[in-house]
Amino acid sequence: MRSRREYPEHPLVGVGGLIHKDGKILLIRRKFEPNKGRWTPPGGLLEVGEDPQEAAQREVREELGLEVEVEGLLHVANEVIKDDEGRVKFHFVLVDYLMRPLGEKVTLNEESDEFAWFEPSAIEGLNSTANTKLIARKYVEAMARRERP
């Protein structure tokens, strides 16, 4: 039986959080497809009737055991992953929020192999998605705007 995520009839909405602290970004390494083995922000699917921002907070809580404060919408992206025959295997509209952790302790669930805090500049060299690299650059730009008088 295939996952309802694979070969979807329509795009699915994914929500996630770019969690930052002391100039670093928290990423997880995915244990399952899509993006197995890649470093990404924590996140998952929006549920029917759920507010996207609240869903992103829920996903962070489920994946990391961490409460967060949402600082704002960071980016909306389209991610399409095709199979070897060129058919769309996964299609997500990704809604990523900028978040600040309200605690220190991270407890991974079964969806991730590990987590780490990264300097934004290090993300370009990681095995991560194009969207992860893009939102890391957007984070750097957002922080630069905050520091301007």
Side-chain angles (χ1 to χ4, degrees), residues 28-143:
I28 60 171
R29 193 171 66 198
R30 298 258 171 225
K31 195 183 282 187
F32 306 110
E33 293 294 349
N35 299 315
K36 179 180 178 179
R38 293 179 137 186
W39 290 96
T40 68
L45 293 180
L46 179 68
E47 296 177 359
V48 173
E50 193 174 26
D51 175 83
Q53 182 173 309
E54 291 172 4
Q57 289 174 293
R58 172 187 53 77
E59 284 292 338
V60 168
R61 188 178 317 110
E62 288 175 3
E63 291 188 13
L64 302 174
L66 189 63
E67 294 297 329
V68 291
E69 175 186 345
V70 174
E71 296 181 315
L73 179 64
L74 185 61
H75 188 67
V76 177
N78 188 50
E79 183 175 54
V80 177
I81 300 172
K82 295 183 179 182
D83 65 15
D84 293 338
E85 297 170 4
R87 295 183 309 152
V88 174
K89 186 172 183 179
F90 298 100
H91 185 178
F92 300 100
V93 173
L94 302 171
V95 181
D96 289 300
Y97 293 91
L98 185 62
M99 300 177 168
R100 183 177 64 78
L102 297 177
E104 297 288 326
K105 187 173 189 294
V106 173
T107 305
L108 292 176
N109 71 2
E110 70 283 350
E111 296 176 29
S112 307
D113 286 322
E114 64 181 301
F115 78 94
W117 291 93
F118 293 95
E119 293 288 341
S121 60
I123 293 172
E124 287 295 327
L126 287 179
N127 179 14
S128 62
T129 65
N131 187 62
T132 301
K133 292 174 183 180
L134 177 63
I135 62 175
R137 289 189 300 267
K138 288 190 88 158
Y139 165 76
V140 170
E141 293 168 7
M143 293 302 103

